[in-house]
């Protein structure tokens, strides 16, 4: 797909670029998204597996589901879309990467200072006393590990439906949306708040809004540019054109 020259012109002059990513950027790393036809929520009930009530009513089922997802994520590798955002960090004078993803593929690709709005699936903590947990996670029979400090149940350090997002992360993300010159919404259905607010905050604050997604979303009518293809193809193309424009290649 042709990337508009006007977008390259704007990016060549941009001082501050902010990016919000969703599950779509990890799709080409073999990690299922949530709302695509073959996504996780087509097979599993999010309220049973990604909520406090779900964990309280059947902690072992939730624990096993996260172990299953962790196993897939640990085997996954960053794709060219993740790597292109590492280049973004080098090209733009100021850059903020905000993600809804919990897989830490951005960090494994080499992105630094990633704002994680929904926590991460790699770490665990105690459901009762919040103490970080570094003990064994693969217990016989899929048993839920217990906190050595208080005996409480151990849970993954992701943000579940109905839980507050980490306030510091959300404040930093909103600040980036308000101050950036260009805001990218990449690989997200833009349906889950408060993350889905960010592109609108950016637009209202005068940023150029760019969406990278092979499918249209609720955000699409509001964006200035749509790159309607996989982020694993669109983002490396954009980096190549931008480097040519800026004489970096
Ligand atoms: N490149 C870019 N985008 C893609 C690709 C791809 N290769 N493949 C799919 N997509 C797009 C889909 O078109 C869809 O719009 O990625 C988006 C994924 O949307 P969701 O599955 O809703 O994922 P996301 O937006 O990240 O969900 C937000 O919802 O369930 C909660 O906490 C969970 O963080 C998640 C939040
Ligand atoms: Zn505890």
């Amino acid at each position: 797909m042709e990337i508009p020259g006007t977008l390259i012109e704007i990016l060549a002059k941009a001082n501050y670029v902010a990016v919000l990513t969703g599950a779509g950027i990890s799709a080409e790393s073999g990690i299922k998204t949530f709302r695509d036809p073959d996504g996780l929520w087509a097979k599993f009930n999010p309220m049973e597996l990604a909520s406090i009530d779900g964990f309280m009513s059947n902690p072992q089922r939730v624990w096993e589901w996260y172990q299953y997802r962790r196993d897939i994520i640990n085997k996954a590798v960053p794709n060219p879309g993740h790597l292109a955002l590492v280049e973004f960090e080098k090209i733009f004078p100021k850059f903020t990467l905000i993600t809804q993803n919990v897989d830490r593929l951005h960090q494994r690709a080499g992105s630094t200072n990633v704002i994680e709005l929904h926590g991460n699936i790699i770490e665990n903590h105690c459901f009762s006393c919040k103490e970080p947990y570094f003990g064994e996670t693969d217990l016989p029979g899929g048993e839920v590990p217990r906190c050595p400090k208080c005996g409480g149940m151990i849970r993954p350090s992701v943000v579940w439906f109905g839980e507050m997002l980490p306030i510091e992360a959300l404040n930093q993300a909103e600040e980036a949306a308000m101050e950036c010159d260009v805001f990218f919404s990449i690989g997200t259905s833009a349906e889950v708040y408060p993350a889905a607010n960010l592109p609108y905050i950016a637009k209202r604050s005068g940023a150029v809004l760019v969406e990278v997604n092979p499918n249209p979303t609720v955000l699409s009518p509001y964006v200035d540019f749509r790159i309607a293809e996989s982020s694993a193809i669109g983002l490396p193309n954009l980096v190549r054109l931008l480097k040519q424009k800026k004489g970096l290649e």
Side-chain angles (χ1 to χ4, degrees):
M1 181 205 162
E2 192 59 23
I3 294 187
T6 40
L7 175 57
I8 300 299
E9 298 276 344
I10 291 168
L11 290 170
K13 293 188 203 104
N15 174 53
Y16 188 1
V17 169
V19 167
L20 170 68
T21 61
I25 197 165
S26 296
E28 308 248 3
S29 297
I31 299 175
K32 285 198 175 305
T33 64
F34 294 98
R35 292 171 188 80
D36 279 329
D38 65 344
L40 285 175
W41 299 151
K43 270 192 351 213
F44 301 104
N45 176 347
M47 288 312 137
E48 274 177 14
L49 293 168
S51 72
I52 291 186
D53 291 348
F55 183 67
M56 291 309 286
S57 60
N58 190 336
Q60 187 152 1
R61 174 177 57 188
V62 172
W63 180 259
E64 285 182 352
W65 187 62
Y66 277 92
Q67 290 292 86
Y68 152 76
R69 284 181 63 198
R70 271 191 261 253
D71 192 40
I72 292 166
I73 285 168
N74 290 335
K75 290 186 185 113
V77 291
N79 66 63
H82 295 105
L83 296 170
L85 293 183
V86 178
E87 293 305 306
F88 269 37
E89 192 171 328
K90 295 176 194 154
I91 294 172
F92 298 112
K94 200 169 172 204
F95 178 72
T96 299
L97 176 51
I98 307 153
T99 190
Q100 299 170 93
N101 298 342
V102 296
D103 58 32
R104 294 219 148 152
L105 284 183
H106 285 306
Q107 291 91 332
R108 283 169 51 195
S111 289
T112 61
N113 182 23
V114 180
I115 298 176
E116 295 180 321
L117 291 180
H118 294 165
N120 77 85
I121 202 169
I122 309 303
E123 294 167 344
N124 298 288
H125 63 270
C126 175
F127 186 78
S128 307
C129 70
K130 312 283 183 257
E131 185 79 2
Y133 175 76
F134 303 103
E136 186 47 52
T137 52
D138 232 350
L139 302 182
E143 197 192 322
V144 178
R146 289 286 171 164
C147 170
K149 207 169 151 208
C150 77
M153 289 187 288
I154 297 304
R155 56 162 288 178
S157 297
V158 296
V159 176
W160 278 333
F161 284 104
E163 284 191 303
M164 289 287 288
L165 272 59
I167 194 67
E168 185 47 33
L170 187 56
N171 288 341
Q172 284 175 357
E174 287 172 348
E175 206 172 300
M178 282 186 269
E179 290 174 13
C180 66
D181 305 314
V182 184
F183 189 96
F184 282 80
S185 177
I186 300 172
T188 178
S189 56
E191 291 179 16
V192 177
Y193 285 80
N197 242 338
L198 295 169
Y200 302 103
I201 293 173
K203 181 93 184 149
R204 277 201 302 274
S205 307
V208 170
L209 199 47
V210 186
E211 182 173 54
V212 182
N213 194 321
N215 306 303
T217 70
V218 290
L219 182 68
S220 302
Y222 302 94
V223 302
D224 299 295
F225 297 95
R226 241 178 80 60
I227 300 175
E229 66 182 349
S230 166
S231 45
I233 297 162
L235 291 177
N237 276 345
L238 197 147
V239 165
R240 185 176 43 78
L241 292 169
L242 188 54
K243 280 187 172 177
Q244 280 169 8
K245 178 78 187 165
K246 288 175 83 104
L248 299 174
E249 207 133 67

